[in-house]
Amino acid sequence: MILTKAQYDEIAQCLVSVPPTRQSLRKLKQRFPSQSQATLLSIFSQEYQKHIKRTHAKHHTSEAIESYYQRYLNGVVKNGAAPVLLDLANEVDYAPSLMARLILERFLQEHEETPPSKSVINSMLRDPSQIPDGVLANQVYQCIVNDCCYGPLVDCIKHAIGHEHEVLLRDMLLEKNLSFLDEDQLRAKGYDKTPDFILQVPVAVEGHIIHWIESKASFGDECSHHAYLHDQFWSYWNRCHPLAQRS
């Protein structure tokens, strides 16, 4: 189903005041029943990430971090089983996984002799059982599993979906008996930056000659198109051929 610019703008506008929760996604689906869950989730995630980038700095001041940490400590003293960190993240409009990272880093700074490395933090976020405090481990876990846009769980899902779409695209090319080279074959030939597939025999699609295909498995808004053009597509244009198709 093709989504018009007007329809996209209506969905994006609806997301301005919506927190990144599964409950919000259900409400969004009720508001726009003709749109697929995958489309709404992708737009939801992209719009929220834009919001987080705009407001990121204010959550990383020393005053903000100390305030969040003290509120966390006070909250778990009253009820360590309550979703203190998750509620705090939603209250201050910050991604739960990112709030969990802030508090975990602050906790380790206080309890460890040396500042925690990024790899240690990432490992604990992927597996909260490694966190040396059971209450904090549970709080971090709640944030990770309830975050629809950030965190190691979301990263794993995105990676799996991306791989799935590449497999589906490969199957479609094989079904159409199109000759192509994939990323592994291209890298073996010495390419450093490559699209997912280069067609050895170009095809025509809606009046355009297609030489290569890059699959992103996400909603392509104007911002993401500009970013991908800068980071990837122009290099493909220069190295492979100036006409392309993005799926």
Side-chain angles (χ1 to χ4, degrees), residues 68-77 79-86 88 96-112 116 120-121 124-145:
Y68 298 158
Y69 187 58
Q70 291 305 317
R71 291 182 63 181
Y72 158 74
L73 292 176
N74 293 336
V76 295
V77 165
N79 185 356
V84 176
L85 267 188
L86 181 60
L88 176 59
S97 292
L98 300 183
M99 176 62 76
R101 175 182 286 274
L102 279 182
I103 300 304
L104 176 59
E105 289 177 344
R106 176 65 180 81
F107 173 86
L108 293 176
Q109 288 170 2
E110 185 175 284
H111 292 82
E112 302 290 335
V120 168
I121 296 293
M124 289 183 176
L125 290 173
R126 286 193 297 269
D127 178 11
S129 67
Q130 299 178 23
I131 298 172
D133 180 89
V135 173
L136 179 56
N138 180 54
Q139 294 288 328
V140 168
Y141 173 78
Q142 291 179 43
C143 286
I144 297 299
V145 299

